[in-house]
Amino acid sequence: MPSNKPSFTADAFIDDAHNYALGLPQIVSLRPLLAAEDDTVKLPMRHATFTLSEEAITALSELSALTGEPKSKLIRKLILRATQAVQIDLAQVRAKKPERK
């Protein structure tokens, strides 16, 4: 049966292991994309002004060059992942917290 999944070589899959370790896989998906991460979904955007250290700017530029993604998109992804991590941590804390009576 024909598949609608993208095809790739074994070498490309192995090479993508580094991207996977960085949390930015190009071939294997860690999970379904959220609307904020999906390139096909165009969400309304607003300009934001903030300050970054030279170290952060350099790291962001290198990550952009490595992935080929725009810096603003990388920042949106990082914010989304940080938010998800905090929500998971909060859920775990709430689950362990005894109920008050």
Side-chain angles (χ1 to χ4, degrees):
M1 287 184 134
S3 174
N4 62 353
K5 294 181 180 179
S7 61
F8 50 86
T9 66
D11 288 335
F13 179 80
I14 292 168
D15 290 341
D16 194 45
H18 179 70
N19 295 335
Y20 183 88
L22 293 172
L24 302 165
Q26 303 296 313
I27 295 174
V28 177
S29 178
L30 298 173
R31 59 178 164 63
L33 292 177
L34 300 173
E37 300 171 312
D38 192 350
D39 291 339
T40 62
V41 176
K42 300 295 180 200
L43 299 174
M45 301 283 178
R46 291 182 52 198
H47 288 279
T49 302
F50 49 89
T51 305
L52 298 174
S53 67
E54 285 297 324
E55 181 182 17
I57 291 169
T58 301
L60 184 60
S61 295
E62 290 173 358
L63 187 57
S64 178
L66 175 71
T67 63
E69 293 189 347
K71 295 174 199 168
S72 58
K73 183 176 180 181
L74 291 171
I75 290 172
R76 288 191 299 273
K77 283 184 173 184
L78 291 168
I79 290 170
L80 182 62
R81 289 192 183 191
T83 302
Q84 291 169 342
V86 168
Q87 289 172 349
I88 290 169
D89 289 345
L90 288 175
Q92 291 173 350
V93 168
R94 289 182 186 129
K96 291 179 183 177
K97 188 177 179 181
E99 291 184 29
R100 292 184 178 185
K101 294 184 179 186

